[in-house]
Amino acid sequence: MADRPSAALAAVDRALADARTASYDAAWAMPGAFYTDPVVLAAELDYLFHRQWICVGRVEEVASPGDFMAVDIGNEPVVVIRGVDGTLRALSNVCRHRAMPLAAGKGNAGKGLLCPYHHWSYDTTGRLLGTPRLGARPDFAIADCRLPAFALEEWLGFIFVCLDATAAPLAPVLSELEERIRPYHFEQTRLRYVADEVWLCNWKHLVENFMEGYHLSTLHRETLHKVNPTRLCRHFPPGDGYFGYYAGFDPSLPRGQKGHPDLRPEQYDDCVMFAIPPGLLVGGAADYSSFLCVQPAGIDRVRVKLGLIFYGEDWPEATVDWAVRLFQDTMAEDKTVLNELGRGVRSGHYRPGPLAGPDFEGPVLDFFRYLARHLPALSTPF
Ligand code: FES
């Protein structure tokens, strides 16, 4: 019994190594421990969420000076705040006094952040301004104290933060993907729906689910199947920092006409589904697009920000409401399955099955390969 946990992790290591070399037609699902073992989660936090570029939302959420949103990146409290100078920053959301998180949720902080505990105050760049009743001390200089700042990049209207000061810039890694999707001009879209939720599943199950079209015509028989049937899915080659596929629109449906003029006619025929791992998932289309920002909140909990962005201004409320309902209904169908997968992968009798071909579950293999490239060996101390 004593060596069973490491045996399970060794099986995960072998499966990840196999994923790196497997062809799309000979790839397999992952062992249960990949989704249930706390050692895997610890490695994911350390090597992915605390080191890679993590998408936390859209620029429209923090559009005006003083606007902020508090986010956890892995285990790290961060506040994304637009300064009174108009610059967007990612600051540590931990008070320099006794570690109270400064901001919660979203809002406008005016000229700065005020700690709710003892009212230390900071300006919108993170500089400490006030320390009530502290008095002058020879061993502490207010002028030298500030909230640590993290790297932040805006990419097509998405906000990415990286906790690792040594990380390479994000945009160059995404240049090939950007070439592919540039005509959609996601940076010119408008956020019309956003919600923060916690789902009861492992975060990787949500990534895999959003990024494969195999289940569109089965699980979503009454919803997405009528729009994006499985038979019209087409995988596209992944890059180092992205992967994805096209989900074709059913030919019998009328095509939207509201997209950017740069779009080619055939781009109205597909939804471009792409992931920027570990956590951003986008279902991009000419007229409106969905996105998910995914982060683990435990081995069987995932924090997810769900949003819809629309190109152009002249969208009737009724059409937006219809799109929101379709999105919510689809996500609810996904949630019913994903909330059950945790029980399945804990079964002592589960053995991983073969993945369907590249057009259907190819992005799942791309995700496994991304993880294999970035995670250390899990069955030995890291
Ligand atoms: Fe923030 Fe004390 S913990 S002022």
Side-chain angles (χ1 to χ4, degrees), residues 95-100 102 115-120 122:
C95 182
R96 296 293 308 267
H97 178 218
R98 280 170 48 206
M100 178 71 190
L102 294 161
C115 180
Y117 202 177
H118 313 96
H119 281 197
W120 282 29
Y122 303 83

Side-chain angles (χ1 to χ4, degrees), residues 212-295:
E212 55 95 341
Y214 193 33
H215 73 289
L216 295 180
S217 289
T218 50
L219 177 63
H220 301 302
R221 190 82 203 158
E222 300 304 321
T223 50
L224 272 189
H225 164 69
K226 297 170 183 172
V227 183
N228 298 111
T230 293
R231 70 178 189 281
L232 298 180
C233 293
R234 299 182 338 271
H235 182 242
F236 63 75
D240 270 354
Y242 67 89
F243 56 87
Y245 74 102
Y246 293 106
F249 288 115
D250 191 293
S252 68
L253 296 176
R255 290 291 177 270
Q257 299 297 325
K258 285 180 175 292
H260 194 280
D262 286 354
L263 282 163
R264 299 183 299 276
E266 67 271 21
Q267 289 182 301
Y268 283 87
D269 295 338
D270 291 313
C271 191
V272 56
M273 308 289 296
F274 62 89
I276 298 175
L280 176 63
L281 315 172
V282 179
D287 44 11
Y288 77 91
S289 305
S290 60
F291 70 88
L292 271 58
C293 303
V294 173
Q295 283 203 61

Side-chain angles (χ1 to χ4, degrees), residues 139-364:
D139 54 351
F140 181 74
I142 289 181
D144 296 340
C145 185
R146 57 183 310 120
L147 303 172
F150 306 114
L152 181 150
E153 280 193 36
E154 295 177 28
W155 181 81
L156 304 185
F158 294 99
I159 302 169
F160 287 84
V161 176
C162 184
L163 302 182
D164 180 358
T166 67
L170 174 69
V173 179
L174 302 180
S175 59
E176 281 179 13
L177 173 64
E178 193 171 337
E179 193 69 30
R180 186 180 287 277
I181 63 176
R182 185 174 294 131
Y184 293 90
H185 288 282
F186 296 120
E187 76 283 2
Q188 295 180 29
T189 57
R190 193 173 145 214
L191 184 69
R192 298 292 295 266
Y193 170 77
V194 67
D196 290 293
E197 299 184 3
V198 174
W199 291 20
L200 304 179
C201 67
N202 183 271
W203 71 277
K204 299 186 294 293
H205 274 144
L206 181 46
V207 173
E208 294 166 21
N209 176 78
F210 195 87
M211 291 309 301
E212 55 95 341
Y214 193 33
H215 73 289
L216 295 180
S217 289
T218 50
L219 177 63
H220 301 302
R221 190 82 203 158
E222 300 304 321
T223 50
L224 272 189
H225 164 69
K226 297 170 183 172
V227 183
N228 298 111
T230 293
R231 70 178 189 281
L232 298 180
C233 293
R234 299 182 338 271
H235 182 242
F236 63 75
D240 270 354
Y242 67 89
F243 56 87
Y245 74 102
Y246 293 106
F249 288 115
D250 191 293
S252 68
L253 296 176
R255 290 291 177 270
Q257 299 297 325
K258 285 180 175 292
H260 194 280
D262 286 354
L263 282 163
R264 299 183 299 276
E266 67 271 21
Q267 289 182 301
Y268 283 87
D269 295 338
D270 291 313
C271 191
V272 56
M273 308 289 296
F274 62 89
I276 298 175
L280 176 63
L281 315 172
V282 179
D287 44 11
Y288 77 91
S289 305
S290 60
F291 70 88
L292 271 58
C293 303
V294 173
Q295 283 203 61
I299 196 72
D300 53 6
R301 296 278 188 287
V302 54
R303 294 193 299 272
V304 54
K305 173 178 283 189
L306 308 102
L308 290 179
I309 49 178
F310 287 70
Y311 178 78
E313 297 292 325
D314 53 339
W315 283 90
E317 280 304 320
T319 309
V320 173
D321 290 347
W322 171 87
V324 169
R325 265 198 313 279
L326 176 63
F327 186 47
Q328 289 174 329
D329 289 348
T330 306
M331 292 294 103
E333 289 169 344
D334 285 328
K335 202 185 298 187
T336 58
V337 166
L338 295 176
N339 287 358
E340 288 295 308
L341 284 184
R343 290 201 306 131
V345 292
R346 279 185 165 77
S347 162
H349 297 276
Y350 171 63
R351 299 291 177 272
L355 298 181
D359 288 337
F360 306 128
E361 290 186 300
V364 175

